[in-house]
Amino acid sequence: MHRYIGSCTFVFMYVKKTTPSLNCGLDLACEVLYGKWKFRILWFIHQGNIRSSELQRKMPDASSRVIHIQLKELEEHELVARTIYPVMPPKVEYTLTDFGRTLIPVLSIAGKWAEEHQEQLTEAILRDHIGSSSTSSI
């Protein structure tokens, strides 16, 4: 976040207050993949080099800010590589790294699991959503 005061710019960065628990594989996977849009971002990039504006079109419910934050996190975790082309305006594309490509079978299996249990998952999600929206009006 930027704050402009007079001629000075102050940048405020979010810093995690606690050290993540990295004691097992699930902890590691959750730390790297946590984020509502990361699975879809990885899947779309897997389908071919992609620009953030293309991701925005494919995921209209995700704000461009969230997409950029999650792309940056995926890049920091070495799952995604960013290429900046020297043209005007600058063109930026994202690709999966070799390391990132190792996640594709995991994403595929998770998607197949969800498809096999689509009815049960949909009912549970909608029940939770309806329950939380009715209690928020109390």
Side-chain angles (χ1 to χ4, degrees), residues 105-137:
V106 175
L107 300 180
S108 182
I109 289 170
K112 287 177 185 171
W113 172 81
E115 287 172 4
E116 289 172 9
H117 302 282
Q118 183 173 0
E119 187 176 321
Q120 182 178 354
L121 291 168
T122 301
E123 286 175 12
I125 291 166
L126 290 177
R127 184 176 50 248
D128 180 55
H129 179 72
I130 292 168
S132 64
S133 64
S134 65
T135 58
S136 65
S137 60

PDB file of all heavy atoms in Angstrom, residues 105-137:
ATOM      1  N   PRO A 105      -0.308 -32.922 -12.060  1.00  0.00           N
ATOM      2  CA  PRO A 105      -1.031 -34.166 -11.720  1.00  0.00           C
ATOM      3  C   PRO A 105      -1.829 -34.041 -10.418  1.00  0.00           C
ATOM      4  O   PRO A 105      -2.921 -34.592 -10.304  1.00  0.00           O
ATOM      5  CB  PRO A 105       0.079 -35.207 -11.591  1.00  0.00           C
ATOM      6  CG  PRO A 105       1.227 -34.656 -12.369  1.00  0.00           C
ATOM      7  CD  PRO A 105       1.124 -33.163 -12.236  1.00  0.00           C
ATOM      8  N   VAL A 106      -1.314 -33.300  -9.445  1.00  0.00           N
ATOM      9  CA  VAL A 106      -2.019 -33.098  -8.175  1.00  0.00           C
ATOM     10  C   VAL A 106      -3.305 -32.310  -8.414  1.00  0.00           C
ATOM     11  O   VAL A 106      -4.372 -32.664  -7.903  1.00  0.00           O
ATOM     12  CB  VAL A 106      -1.112 -32.359  -7.161  1.00  0.00           C
ATOM     13  CG1 VAL A 106      -1.861 -32.041  -5.883  1.00  0.00           C
ATOM     14  CG2 VAL A 106       0.145 -33.168  -6.878  1.00  0.00           C
ATOM     15  N   LEU A 107      -3.209 -31.230  -9.206  1.00  0.00           N
ATOM     16  CA  LEU A 107      -4.396 -30.425  -9.511  1.00  0.00           C
ATOM     17  C   LEU A 107      -5.423 -31.252 -10.270  1.00  0.00           C
ATOM     18  O   LEU A 107      -6.629 -31.154 -10.021  1.00  0.00           O
ATOM     19  CB  LEU A 107      -4.008 -29.189 -10.329  1.00  0.00           C
ATOM     20  CG  LEU A 107      -3.023 -28.214  -9.692  1.00  0.00           C
ATOM     21  CD1 LEU A 107      -2.756 -27.044 -10.632  1.00  0.00           C
ATOM     22  CD2 LEU A 107      -3.516 -27.728  -8.351  1.00  0.00           C
ATOM     23  N   SER A 108      -4.947 -32.072 -11.198  1.00  0.00           N
ATOM     24  CA  SER A 108      -5.829 -32.918 -11.992  1.00  0.00           C
ATOM     25  C   SER A 108      -6.575 -33.914 -11.100  1.00  0.00           C
ATOM     26  O   SER A 108      -7.794 -34.087 -11.228  1.00  0.00           O
ATOM     27  CB  SER A 108      -5.020 -33.657 -13.060  1.00  0.00           C
ATOM     28  OG  SER A 108      -5.854 -34.431 -13.865  1.00  0.00           O
ATOM     29  N   ILE A 109      -5.858 -34.537 -10.183  1.00  0.00           N
ATOM     30  CA  ILE A 109      -6.490 -35.497  -9.260  1.00  0.00           C
ATOM     31  C   ILE A 109      -7.499 -34.792  -8.360  1.00  0.00           C
ATOM     32  O   ILE A 109      -8.594 -35.306  -8.124  1.00  0.00           O
ATOM     33  CB  ILE A 109      -5.419 -36.247  -8.436  1.00  0.00           C
ATOM     34  CG1 ILE A 109      -4.663 -37.217  -9.336  1.00  0.00           C
ATOM     35  CG2 ILE A 109      -6.040 -36.961  -7.240  1.00  0.00           C
ATOM     36  CD1 ILE A 109      -3.432 -37.829  -8.704  1.00  0.00           C
ATOM     37  N   ALA A 110      -7.160 -33.594  -7.857  1.00  0.00           N
ATOM     38  CA  ALA A 110      -8.094 -32.847  -7.010  1.00  0.00           C
ATOM     39  C   ALA A 110      -9.352 -32.494  -7.795  1.00  0.00           C
ATOM     40  O   ALA A 110     -10.477 -32.587  -7.270  1.00  0.00           O
ATOM     41  CB  ALA A 110      -7.425 -31.585  -6.466  1.00  0.00           C
ATOM     42  N   GLY A 111      -9.190 -32.101  -9.046  1.00  0.00           N
ATOM     43  CA  GLY A 111     -10.346 -31.783  -9.890  1.00  0.00           C
ATOM     44  C   GLY A 111     -11.219 -32.992 -10.144  1.00  0.00           C
ATOM     45  O   GLY A 111     -12.456 -32.912 -10.090  1.00  0.00           O
ATOM     46  N   LYS A 112     -10.594 -34.134 -10.413  1.00  0.00           N
ATOM     47  CA  LYS A 112     -11.362 -35.369 -10.635  1.00  0.00           C
ATOM     48  C   LYS A 112     -12.101 -35.784  -9.367  1.00  0.00           C
ATOM     49  O   LYS A 112     -13.259 -36.216  -9.426  1.00  0.00           O
ATOM     50  CB  LYS A 112     -10.434 -36.492 -11.108  1.00  0.00           C
ATOM     51  CG  LYS A 112      -9.980 -36.307 -12.541  1.00  0.00           C
ATOM     52  CD  LYS A 112      -9.008 -37.376 -12.966  1.00  0.00           C
ATOM     53  CE  LYS A 112      -8.503 -37.072 -14.374  1.00  0.00           C
ATOM     54  NZ  LYS A 112      -7.412 -37.932 -14.770  1.00  0.00           N
ATOM     55  N   TRP A 113     -11.456 -35.652  -8.213  1.00  0.00           N
ATOM     56  CA  TRP A 113     -12.108 -35.971  -6.950  1.00  0.00           C
ATOM     57  C   TRP A 113     -13.351 -35.095  -6.758  1.00  0.00           C
ATOM     58  O   TRP A 113     -14.422 -35.588  -6.398  1.00  0.00           O
ATOM     59  CB  TRP A 113     -11.130 -35.767  -5.787  1.00  0.00           C
ATOM     60  CG  TRP A 113     -11.781 -35.903  -4.441  1.00  0.00           C
ATOM     61  CD1 TRP A 113     -12.067 -37.056  -3.773  1.00  0.00           C
ATOM     62  CD2 TRP A 113     -12.264 -34.830  -3.624  1.00  0.00           C
ATOM     63  NE1 TRP A 113     -12.682 -36.770  -2.573  1.00  0.00           N
ATOM     64  CE2 TRP A 113     -12.814 -35.410  -2.463  1.00  0.00           C
ATOM     65  CE3 TRP A 113     -12.263 -33.444  -3.746  1.00  0.00           C
ATOM     66  CZ2 TRP A 113     -13.370 -34.640  -1.435  1.00  0.00           C
ATOM     67  CZ3 TRP A 113     -12.822 -32.675  -2.735  1.00  0.00           C
ATOM     68  CH2 TRP A 113     -13.372 -33.282  -1.596  1.00  0.00           C
ATOM     69  N   ALA A 114     -13.216 -33.794  -7.029  1.00  0.00           N
ATOM     70  CA  ALA A 114     -14.341 -32.874  -6.867  1.00  0.00           C
ATOM     71  C   ALA A 114     -15.464 -33.206  -7.846  1.00  0.00           C
ATOM     72  O   ALA A 114     -16.645 -33.136  -7.482  1.00  0.00           O
ATOM     73  CB  ALA A 114     -13.875 -31.430  -7.055  1.00  0.00           C
ATOM     74  N   GLU A 115     -15.114 -33.586  -9.074  1.00  0.00           N
ATOM     75  CA  GLU A 115     -16.141 -33.963 -10.056  1.00  0.00           C
ATOM     76  C   GLU A 115     -16.882 -35.225  -9.606  1.00  0.00           C
ATOM     77  O   GLU A 115     -18.102 -35.316  -9.748  1.00  0.00           O
ATOM     78  CB  GLU A 115     -15.517 -34.174 -11.429  1.00  0.00           C
ATOM     79  CG  GLU A 115     -15.113 -32.875 -12.099  1.00  0.00           C
ATOM     80  CD  GLU A 115     -14.319 -33.079 -13.379  1.00  0.00           C
ATOM     81  OE1 GLU A 115     -14.128 -34.247 -13.803  1.00  0.00           O
ATOM     82  OE2 GLU A 115     -13.893 -32.070 -13.959  1.00  0.00           O
ATOM     83  N   GLU A 116     -16.161 -36.201  -9.048  1.00  0.00           N
ATOM     84  CA  GLU A 116     -16.783 -37.438  -8.575  1.00  0.00           C
ATOM     85  C   GLU A 116     -17.730 -37.183  -7.402  1.00  0.00           C
ATOM     86  O   GLU A 116     -18.686 -37.922  -7.196  1.00  0.00           O
ATOM     87  CB  GLU A 116     -15.709 -38.443  -8.156  1.00  0.00           C
ATOM     88  CG  GLU A 116     -14.935 -39.026  -9.315  1.00  0.00           C
ATOM     89  CD  GLU A 116     -13.754 -39.872  -8.875  1.00  0.00           C
ATOM     90  OE1 GLU A 116     -13.607 -40.156  -7.652  1.00  0.00           O
ATOM     91  OE2 GLU A 116     -12.954 -40.255  -9.754  1.00  0.00           O
ATOM     92  N   HIS A 117     -17.463 -36.137  -6.630  1.00  0.00           N
ATOM     93  CA  HIS A 117     -18.260 -35.834  -5.442  1.00  0.00           C
ATOM     94  C   HIS A 117     -18.984 -34.493  -5.592  1.00  0.00           C
ATOM     95  O   HIS A 117     -19.328 -33.859  -4.591  1.00  0.00           O
ATOM     96  CB  HIS A 117     -17.360 -35.817  -4.202  1.00  0.00           C
ATOM     97  CG  HIS A 117     -16.635 -37.107  -3.986  1.00  0.00           C
ATOM     98  ND1 HIS A 117     -17.254 -38.219  -3.446  1.00  0.00           N
ATOM     99  CD2 HIS A 117     -15.370 -37.480  -4.281  1.00  0.00           C
ATOM    100  CE1 HIS A 117     -16.384 -39.214  -3.397  1.00  0.00           C
ATOM    101  NE2 HIS A 117     -15.237 -38.793  -3.905  1.00  0.00           N
ATOM    102  N   GLN A 118     -19.234 -34.116  -6.832  1.00  0.00           N
ATOM    103  CA  GLN A 118     -19.793 -32.792  -7.115  1.00  0.00           C
ATOM    104  C   GLN A 118     -21.105 -32.538  -6.384  1.00  0.00           C
ATOM    105  O   GLN A 118     -21.290 -31.480  -5.785  1.00  0.00           O
ATOM    106  CB  GLN A 118     -19.988 -32.621  -8.622  1.00  0.00           C
ATOM    107  CG  GLN A 118     -20.509 -31.242  -8.990  1.00  0.00           C
ATOM    108  CD  GLN A 118     -20.536 -31.034 -10.500  1.00  0.00           C
ATOM    109  OE1 GLN A 118     -20.169 -31.915 -11.264  1.00  0.00           O
ATOM    110  NE2 GLN A 118     -20.980 -29.865 -10.905  1.00  0.00           N
ATOM    111  N   GLU A 119     -22.015 -33.490  -6.418  1.00  0.00           N
ATOM    112  CA  GLU A 119     -23.325 -33.282  -5.794  1.00  0.00           C
ATOM    113  C   GLU A 119     -23.197 -33.052  -4.293  1.00  0.00           C
ATOM    114  O   GLU A 119     -23.743 -32.088  -3.750  1.00  0.00           O
ATOM    115  CB  GLU A 119     -24.228 -34.485  -6.070  1.00  0.00           C
ATOM    116  CG  GLU A 119     -25.662 -34.272  -5.609  1.00  0.00           C
ATOM    117  CD  GLU A 119     -26.563 -35.445  -5.993  1.00  0.00           C
ATOM    118  OE1 GLU A 119     -26.408 -35.991  -7.096  1.00  0.00           O
ATOM    119  OE2 GLU A 119     -27.401 -35.792  -5.147  1.00  0.00           O
ATOM    120  N   GLN A 120     -22.453 -33.917  -3.615  1.00  0.00           N
ATOM    121  CA  GLN A 120     -22.285 -33.793  -2.165  1.00  0.00           C
ATOM    122  C   GLN A 120     -21.565 -32.498  -1.814  1.00  0.00           C
ATOM    123  O   GLN A 120     -21.959 -31.797  -0.875  1.00  0.00           O
ATOM    124  CB  GLN A 120     -21.514 -34.998  -1.625  1.00  0.00           C
ATOM    125  CG  GLN A 120     -21.332 -34.973  -0.126  1.00  0.00           C
ATOM    126  CD  GLN A 120     -20.602 -36.216   0.385  1.00  0.00           C
ATOM    127  OE1 GLN A 120     -20.333 -37.139  -0.369  1.00  0.00           O
ATOM    128  NE2 GLN A 120     -20.307 -36.230   1.663  1.00  0.00           N
ATOM    129  N   LEU A 121     -20.514 -32.159  -2.552  1.00  0.00           N
ATOM    130  CA  LEU A 121     -19.764 -30.934  -2.280  1.00  0.00           C
ATOM    131  C   LEU A 121     -20.621 -29.694  -2.522  1.00  0.00           C
ATOM    132  O   LEU A 121     -20.610 -28.749  -1.722  1.00  0.00           O
ATOM    133  CB  LEU A 121     -18.503 -30.879  -3.138  1.00  0.00           C
ATOM    134  CG  LEU A 121     -17.419 -31.889  -2.785  1.00  0.00           C
ATOM    135  CD1 LEU A 121     -16.351 -31.941  -3.865  1.00  0.00           C
ATOM    136  CD2 LEU A 121     -16.807 -31.551  -1.434  1.00  0.00           C
ATOM    137  N   THR A 122     -21.376 -29.697  -3.625  1.00  0.00           N
ATOM    138  CA  THR A 122     -22.236 -28.556  -3.937  1.00  0.00           C
ATOM    139  C   THR A 122     -23.273 -28.340  -2.840  1.00  0.00           C
ATOM    140  O   THR A 122     -23.485 -27.210  -2.392  1.00  0.00           O
ATOM    141  CB  THR A 122     -22.927 -28.758  -5.308  1.00  0.00           C
ATOM    142  OG1 THR A 122     -21.921 -28.904  -6.307  1.00  0.00           O
ATOM    143  CG2 THR A 122     -23.829 -27.584  -5.654  1.00  0.00           C
ATOM    144  N   GLU A 123     -23.903 -29.425  -2.400  1.00  0.00           N
ATOM    145  CA  GLU A 123     -24.900 -29.315  -1.333  1.00  0.00           C
ATOM    146  C   GLU A 123     -24.278 -28.758  -0.050  1.00  0.00           C
ATOM    147  O   GLU A 123     -24.846 -27.875   0.592  1.00  0.00           O
ATOM    148  CB  GLU A 123     -25.533 -30.671  -1.053  1.00  0.00           C
ATOM    149  CG  GLU A 123     -26.500 -31.127  -2.118  1.00  0.00           C
ATOM    150  CD  GLU A 123     -27.025 -32.546  -1.871  1.00  0.00           C
ATOM    151  OE1 GLU A 123     -26.821 -33.079  -0.760  1.00  0.00           O
ATOM    152  OE2 GLU A 123     -27.626 -33.102  -2.801  1.00  0.00           O
ATOM    153  N   ALA A 124     -23.115 -29.270   0.316  1.00  0.00           N
ATOM    154  CA  ALA A 124     -22.458 -28.825   1.547  1.00  0.00           C
ATOM    155  C   ALA A 124     -22.042 -27.358   1.453  1.00  0.00           C
ATOM    156  O   ALA A 124     -22.230 -26.590   2.400  1.00  0.00           O
ATOM    157  CB  ALA A 124     -21.245 -29.705   1.839  1.00  0.00           C
ATOM    158  N   ILE A 125     -21.514 -26.963   0.304  1.00  0.00           N
ATOM    159  CA  ILE A 125     -21.072 -25.575   0.129  1.00  0.00           C
ATOM    160  C   ILE A 125     -22.263 -24.632   0.155  1.00  0.00           C
ATOM    161  O   ILE A 125     -22.230 -23.595   0.822  1.00  0.00           O
ATOM    162  CB  ILE A 125     -20.264 -25.430  -1.181  1.00  0.00           C
ATOM    163  CG1 ILE A 125     -18.927 -26.165  -1.045  1.00  0.00           C
ATOM    164  CG2 ILE A 125     -20.048 -23.955  -1.527  1.00  0.00           C
ATOM    165  CD1 ILE A 125     -18.207 -26.384  -2.365  1.00  0.00           C
ATOM    166  N   LEU A 126     -23.319 -24.986  -0.562  1.00  0.00           N
ATOM    167  CA  LEU A 126     -24.500 -24.125  -0.586  1.00  0.00           C
ATOM    168  C   LEU A 126     -25.174 -24.070   0.776  1.00  0.00           C
ATOM    169  O   LEU A 126     -25.648 -23.013   1.201  1.00  0.00           O
ATOM    170  CB  LEU A 126     -25.483 -24.588  -1.663  1.00  0.00           C
ATOM    171  CG  LEU A 126     -25.017 -24.370  -3.101  1.00  0.00           C
ATOM    172  CD1 LEU A 126     -26.036 -24.932  -4.076  1.00  0.00           C
ATOM    173  CD2 LEU A 126     -24.744 -22.898  -3.381  1.00  0.00           C
ATOM    174  N   ARG A 127     -25.229 -25.202   1.484  1.00  0.00           N
ATOM    175  CA  ARG A 127     -25.815 -25.227   2.824  1.00  0.00           C
ATOM    176  C   ARG A 127     -25.027 -24.303   3.749  1.00  0.00           C
ATOM    177  O   ARG A 127     -25.606 -23.515   4.491  1.00  0.00           O
ATOM    178  CB  ARG A 127     -25.836 -26.659   3.364  1.00  0.00           C
ATOM    179  CG  ARG A 127     -26.502 -26.804   4.711  1.00  0.00           C
ATOM    180  CD  ARG A 127     -26.598 -28.268   5.173  1.00  0.00           C
ATOM    181  NE  ARG A 127     -25.348 -28.993   5.088  1.00  0.00           N
ATOM    182  CZ  ARG A 127     -25.101 -30.003   4.232  1.00  0.00           C
ATOM    183  NH1 ARG A 127     -26.023 -30.414   3.397  1.00  0.00           N
ATOM    184  NH2 ARG A 127     -23.935 -30.617   4.216  1.00  0.00           N
ATOM    185  N   ASP A 128     -23.715 -24.373   3.681  1.00  0.00           N
ATOM    186  CA  ASP A 128     -22.867 -23.508   4.496  1.00  0.00           C
ATOM    187  C   ASP A 128     -23.067 -22.049   4.110  1.00  0.00           C
ATOM    188  O   ASP A 128     -23.158 -21.183   4.961  1.00  0.00           O
ATOM    189  CB  ASP A 128     -21.397 -23.915   4.336  1.00  0.00           C
ATOM    190  CG  ASP A 128     -20.473 -23.050   5.169  1.00  0.00           C
ATOM    191  OD1 ASP A 128     -20.707 -22.969   6.403  1.00  0.00           O
ATOM    192  OD2 ASP A 128     -19.558 -22.446   4.599  1.00  0.00           O
ATOM    193  N   HIS A 129     -23.140 -21.778   2.817  1.00  0.00           N
ATOM    194  CA  HIS A 129     -23.304 -20.402   2.340  1.00  0.00           C
ATOM    195  C   HIS A 129     -24.651 -19.837   2.782  1.00  0.00           C
ATOM    196  O   HIS A 129     -24.737 -18.720   3.264  1.00  0.00           O
ATOM    197  CB  HIS A 129     -23.177 -20.351   0.815  1.00  0.00           C
ATOM    198  CG  HIS A 129     -23.364 -18.983   0.259  1.00  0.00           C
ATOM    199  ND1 HIS A 129     -22.422 -18.003   0.411  1.00  0.00           N
ATOM    200  CD2 HIS A 129     -24.389 -18.434  -0.435  1.00  0.00           C
ATOM    201  CE1 HIS A 129     -22.851 -16.892  -0.162  1.00  0.00           C
ATOM    202  NE2 HIS A 129     -24.046 -17.145  -0.704  1.00  0.00           N
ATOM    203  N   ILE A 130     -25.714 -20.619   2.642  1.00  0.00           N
ATOM    204  CA  ILE A 130     -27.046 -20.172   3.031  1.00  0.00           C
ATOM    205  C   ILE A 130     -27.112 -19.990   4.551  1.00  0.00           C
ATOM    206  O   ILE A 130     -27.640 -19.014   5.043  1.00  0.00           O
ATOM    207  CB  ILE A 130     -28.130 -21.166   2.551  1.00  0.00           C
ATOM    208  CG1 ILE A 130     -28.210 -21.109   1.015  1.00  0.00           C
ATOM    209  CG2 ILE A 130     -29.477 -20.865   3.177  1.00  0.00           C
ATOM    210  CD1 ILE A 130     -29.014 -22.233   0.397  1.00  0.00           C
ATOM    211  N   GLY A 131     -26.496 -20.919   5.293  1.00  0.00           N
ATOM    212  CA  GLY A 131     -26.477 -20.812   6.743  1.00  0.00           C
ATOM    213  C   GLY A 131     -25.733 -19.595   7.229  1.00  0.00           C
ATOM    214  O   GLY A 131     -26.172 -18.902   8.149  1.00  0.00           O
ATOM    215  N   SER A 132     -24.604 -19.272   6.598  1.00  0.00           N
ATOM    216  CA  SER A 132     -23.826 -18.114   7.045  1.00  0.00           C
ATOM    217  C   SER A 132     -24.500 -16.814   6.645  1.00  0.00           C
ATOM    218  O   SER A 132     -24.394 -15.821   7.357  1.00  0.00           O
ATOM    219  CB  SER A 132     -22.406 -18.171   6.490  1.00  0.00           C
ATOM    220  OG  SER A 132     -22.412 -18.073   5.076  1.00  0.00           O
ATOM    221  N   SER A 133     -25.231 -16.785   5.524  1.00  0.00           N
ATOM    222  CA  SER A 133     -25.889 -15.543   5.125  1.00  0.00           C
ATOM    223  C   SER A 133     -27.136 -15.280   5.970  1.00  0.00           C
ATOM    224  O   SER A 133     -27.482 -14.154   6.236  1.00  0.00           O
ATOM    225  CB  SER A 133     -26.257 -15.564   3.631  1.00  0.00           C
ATOM    226  OG  SER A 133     -27.199 -16.570   3.375  1.00  0.00           O
ATOM    227  N   SER A 134     -27.803 -16.340   6.469  1.00  0.00           N
ATOM    228  CA  SER A 134     -28.987 -16.124   7.297  1.00  0.00           C
ATOM    229  C   SER A 134     -28.605 -15.688   8.708  1.00  0.00           C
ATOM    230  O   SER A 134     -29.325 -14.946   9.340  1.00  0.00           O
ATOM    231  CB  SER A 134     -29.856 -17.378   7.349  1.00  0.00           C
ATOM    232  OG  SER A 134     -29.177 -18.434   8.001  1.00  0.00           O
ATOM    233  N   THR A 135     -27.448 -16.124   9.206  1.00  0.00           N
ATOM    234  CA  THR A 135     -27.021 -15.720  10.546  1.00  0.00           C
ATOM    235  C   THR A 135     -26.413 -14.332  10.552  1.00  0.00           C
ATOM    236  O   THR A 135     -26.366 -13.690  11.565  1.00  0.00           O
ATOM    237  CB  THR A 135     -26.005 -16.716  11.148  1.00  0.00           C
ATOM    238  OG1 THR A 135     -24.880 -16.804  10.274  1.00  0.00           O
ATOM    239  CG2 THR A 135     -26.625 -18.078  11.352  1.00  0.00           C
ATOM    240  N   SER A 136     -25.954 -13.863   9.384  1.00  0.00           N
ATOM    241  CA  SER A 136     -25.344 -12.530   9.358  1.00  0.00           C
ATOM    242  C   SER A 136     -26.376 -11.439   9.457  1.00  0.00           C
ATOM    243  O   SER A 136     -26.056 -10.302   9.767  1.00  0.00           O
ATOM    244  CB  SER A 136     -24.512 -12.361   8.087  1.00  0.00           C
ATOM    245  OG  SER A 136     -25.347 -12.401   6.947  1.00  0.00           O
ATOM    246  N   SER A 137     -27.654 -11.753   9.223  1.00  0.00           N
ATOM    247  CA  SER A 137     -28.691 -10.721   9.308  1.00  0.00           C
ATOM    248  C   SER A 137     -29.274 -10.617  10.713  1.00  0.00           C
ATOM    249  O   SER A 137     -30.157  -9.821  10.961  1.00  0.00           O
ATOM    250  CB  SER A 137     -29.812 -11.023   8.296  1.00  0.00           C
ATOM    251  OG  SER A 137     -30.393 -12.274   8.581  1.00  0.00           O
TER     252      SER A 137
END
